[in-house]
Each structure stands twice: as structure tokens, then as C-alpha cells.
Amino acid sequence: METRSENICFGGVQGVYTHSSETCASDMTFGLFLPEEAKTGPVPVLWFLSGLTCTHENAMTKAGAQAIAAETGVALIFPDTSPRGEGVADDESFDMGQGASYYVNATESPWASHFRMWDYLTEELPALVGAEFPLDMDRQAITGHSMGGHGALTIGMALGRDRFTSISAFAPLCRTMDSDWGTRQFGLYLGEDREKWRPHDASEVMRDRGFDGPVLVDTGTADQFWDKLKPTALATAMADRRQQGAFRLQPGYDHSYFFISTFIEEHVAFHAEALYG
């Protein structure tokens, strides 16, 4: 693992690291914020999965999460959104290929050889950071934005309380099986059998299994991608499941990091409360 940078931040350290990923068959880069408490022992972990076109850097530099993470003693991990580099398949459109993994394990050519993001995020990267940094991997939570909100919800519900204490999302893709952000991509990544898509549709997973813990979802009423996100599907599934948690519509907010930075303190505090029990 190579240290790309480390900067003092709110008494802790914001680092960026690159490692060779066996799962994705490429070099992968991630950001990690360690609060000051990590100097004396392991700290709980909050994962932040980013959206389409993003890298590890977007949320790390724009969300403003480090201040409240430092206050609550929580580490933040900012993974990349896909494998990258020479030889990694890509697409001319922004919503497919590099920067647009949808956090799935692709099964179709040419994607399957590198796009194994589900396994990377649930197995390889947690094992790496748990071994290399003072992190309490028995206390983890997960959040994300847009495509990353979809990833946080589907991964969080699939792994359940054995892995995560809590789940949250900012403007997540709520129904991917029949959305412009889902149908083309899943067809290319996972093939034409739509049953294989179901575990990667947040509203379907919510309806099928939900989460045995608190869930917080925020979406802006002025989100310019409302029709693609399909928030009504997730809100209805949460209500039908009687899911513990809250689905909030924030008046006037759009899809940008201005929206995320406005509510990030509430989300990190929400997770900190669950992580510290």
C-alpha cells in the first residue's frame, strides 16, 4: 500500500492511499480520515460511497464530514467508485464504465474481469483497512450519495447487522430495475436475466428483507434527477415493511454537494449514536 498524502485535519489525519487490488485486478485508491482518538486505540468506521463520475476525492473534499467525525470520534472511509486505469473497460457515457460501477460484481464481458466492486467493498478493502489502521471493524456503518446511496442501501441491507449498525443515504437511486440509471447498466454488467438485478435494487431489497436497525434517507424536493432516482418506490417499500427509520424530503434542495454538506452533520451524528450504542 502506498501513502499518497496525509494531512492534519481537525486534530486527526486525512489520508489518501493506493493499493493493488486482487479483486478488481487494478490499482485502487481510497481516502481515510482518522480522528484524534485513533492515536490511542481503534475507532468505529463510517463508509461513504460516492455517486456517478466521482472518485474517492469528491466526498472527501466537498461533504465537510471530517469536523463532525472528529467531534464524534468516527473514522471515515471514502472508496473509489470503480476500478480504473489502462486495460480497464470503459464507456463513452458518464453513467457506465469507469466511475460508474453501481457497486456490483459484473458477470458479463468486458466488465467481469475488473468490475468486482461488491466483493471489493464487502471483503477486500475492509480486510485491508482493518489490518493496516486502528479501526474497530466490529463497529461499522455505511452511507452514500446517489449511486453510492444505492450501494449503501443494498450492501447495508444484504450484510445486515452482522456488519453494519446503521444505514443512511443522500438522494439514492431507489429503483434501478426500471430506471434510466439501472436498466442499461445492469443489462451490460449482469446480463438480461432481471432476477439477477433484484439484489441491486434498493426498493426491492427493502421490501424483501429490510434492515434490523435504523435507516435515514434524505432527498431534496428540487432534485433535478427525481425521475431517475424514483424516491417514491423506496419510501413506499419502507412504509410497507414498517422499517425503523426516516425518509425525509428536504424542501428546495437539489442533488449537489451543497445538499450533502447541509445535512452531513446530522447523518454522521445519526451513525455515531448507533456505533457507540
Side-chain angles (χ1 to χ4, degrees):
M1 189 173 64
E2 175 189 353
T3 300
R4 299 275 295 275
S5 64
E6 288 184 333
N7 299 94
I8 300 298
C9 182
F10 294 100
V13 176
Q14 176 62 65
V16 176
Y17 309 93
T18 296
H19 71 105
S20 177
S21 167
E22 181 177 345
T23 302
C24 295
S26 67
D27 286 346
M28 298 292 290
T29 299
F30 65 93
L32 169 65
F33 171 74
L34 289 172
E36 191 170 12
E37 287 85 347
K39 296 175 182 176
T40 57
V43 293
V45 177
L46 174 59
W47 296 81
F48 191 111
L49 307 187
S50 292
L52 289 168
T53 75
C54 292
T55 69
H56 68 281
E57 194 172 22
N58 295 73
M60 186 181 78
T61 59
K62 294 180 180 180
Q66 289 88 346
I68 183 63
E71 184 178 326
T72 55
V74 173
L76 303 169
I77 301 178
F78 305 98
D80 203 346
T81 54
S82 79
R84 299 177 189 273
E86 187 177 353
V88 176
D90 202 3
D91 190 89
E92 292 182 357
S93 62
F94 75 93
D95 54 3
M96 183 75 194
Q98 295 186 33
S101 72
Y102 287 76
Y103 301 106
V104 303
N105 285 340
T107 58
E108 306 300 302
S109 179
W111 313 102
S113 57
H114 295 283
F115 281 70
R116 308 284 300 173
M117 287 297 289
W118 182 282
D119 285 352
Y120 175 70
L121 289 174
T122 62
E123 298 176 13
E124 185 179 25
L125 187 56
L128 174 68
V129 296
E132 295 290 336
F133 299 98
L135 301 174
D136 183 351
M137 302 306 285
D138 290 329
R139 292 187 292 170
Q140 299 183 60
I142 191 167
T143 188
H145 171 231
S146 194
M147 179 187 71
H150 135 82
L153 288 162
T154 54
I155 291 172
M157 288 187 283
L159 273 60
R161 288 297 291 267
D162 289 341
R163 178 70 63 90
F164 300 109
T165 63
S166 46
I167 303 170
S168 76
F170 297 89
L173 310 187
C174 296
R175 182 160 181 83
T176 45
M177 291 186 70
D178 54 13
S179 169
D180 289 346
W181 284 348
T183 51
R184 172 176 179 260
Q185 295 81 2
F186 285 1
L188 292 172
Y189 286 146
L190 303 175
E192 294 306 316
D193 182 357
R194 288 179 173 250
E195 281 304 305
K196 295 180 180 178
W197 303 4
R198 193 174 300 277
H200 303 289
D201 183 299
S203 61
E204 291 290 325
V205 181
M206 176 61 71
R207 195 174 300 281
D208 289 345
R209 64 188 302 163
F211 181 68
D212 185 22
V215 175
L216 173 63
V217 178
D218 275 319
T219 297
T221 60
D223 194 303
Q224 58 270 46
F225 304 114
W226 181 279
D227 291 342
K228 291 180 172 63
L229 303 176
K230 297 185 180 293
T232 306
L234 181 61
T236 301
M238 288 179 68
D240 289 347
R241 179 113 195 144
R242 301 186 185 184
Q243 171 65 49
Q244 174 191 351
F247 188 105
R248 308 189 304 190
L249 295 179
Q250 301 294 355
Y253 285 90
D254 60 14
H255 200 71
S256 70
Y257 269 88
F258 296 111
F259 159 61
I260 297 171
S261 62
T262 300
F263 297 101
I264 192 67
E265 182 173 349
E266 293 181 32
H267 280 244
V268 176
F270 161 79
H271 291 294
E273 182 177 357
L275 288 164
Y276 281 104

